[in-house]
Amino acid sequence: MGEQQHVKFPQEVIDEYASLGVDLPALFSAGHLGNRMGVQIVEASADRVVGTMPVEGNTQPYGLLHGGASAVLAETLGSIGSMLHGGVSRIAVGVDLNCTHHRGVRSGLVTGVATPVHRGRSTATYEIVITDEQDKRVCTARLTCMLKEIGGQDAQHLPAAGRLDGAGA
């Protein structure tokens, strides 16, 4: 799980972050929790975020994919889309997440696709559809994020690996 991810970002997004000294591909990840759960981001833009997660290691006692694991995948993907929509001067903070679980999955890989429902100045809402390897819907989620201006405390949490100048926390 510690290997470098190859996320497909739009070039204009990479350039925008690079102009501020941030190496977006180096900075980008599913976060500590997402990494522990095996979440891999495949594609990321404000219009569409795609990620996968293994079922193995993310199950409840009956051997089915844990609903909380689906929620982690959904919130990760929706937050990434919201962050990319908000741009370099804002951070996305989840304020509402709901998930409807349609069917159980015992093995394999699930794939989530987040698409925008609403993209405003202060909030962004994404629908996240999670499917199994047979393309059957496992979960439908909706995430709303508040978009807030980056403050001093927020900026200090950017890891040094993502800074082109090597500076950072």
Side-chain angles (χ1 to χ4, degrees):
M1 284 189 248
E3 71 255 11
Q4 176 73 19
Q5 294 182 20
H6 297 286
V7 181
K8 182 178 153 190
F9 286 103
Q11 188 60 49
E12 64 272 12
V13 173
I14 293 171
D15 294 343
E16 181 182 13
Y17 280 82
S19 72
L20 296 171
V22 176
D23 181 352
L24 189 60
L27 170 66
F28 199 82
S29 76
H32 296 293
L33 177 60
N35 286 339
R36 279 195 303 273
M37 296 182 72
V39 173
Q40 295 289 314
I41 307 305
V42 177
E43 174 186 334
S45 74
D47 294 323
R48 177 180 156 95
V49 181
V50 179
T52 62
M53 181 180 67
V55 173
E56 184 179 350
N58 294 314
T59 58
Q60 40 88 311
Y62 299 116
L64 297 169
L65 177 65
H66 196 290
S70 293
V72 167
L73 178 59
E75 184 152 356
T76 299
L77 301 178
S79 293
I80 291 166
S82 297
M83 182 267 302
L84 291 171
H85 164 67
V88 296
S89 65
R90 296 184 178 157
I91 61 169
V93 180
V95 294
D96 181 62
L97 173 66
N98 70 67
C99 301
T100 301
H101 306 287
H102 304 293
R103 71 176 65 246
V105 181
R106 291 188 182 276
S107 63
L109 203 64
V110 292
T111 300
V113 178
T115 55
V117 174
H118 167 78
R119 291 187 298 188
R121 285 182 290 128
S122 60
T123 63
T125 301
Y126 280 76
E127 177 184 61
I128 304 93
V129 174
I130 300 173
T131 57
D132 64 14
E133 291 179 317
Q134 288 72 48
D135 205 30
K136 292 183 178 176
R137 193 176 289 223
V138 173
C139 175
T140 303
R142 190 187 70 234
L143 173 72
T144 298
C145 287
M146 176 179 64
L147 303 173
K148 70 177 229 163
E149 292 296 320
I150 293 178
Q153 276 192 310
D154 302 320
Q156 74 184 4
H157 291 286
L158 284 176
R163 303 293 300 177
L164 290 172
D165 62 6

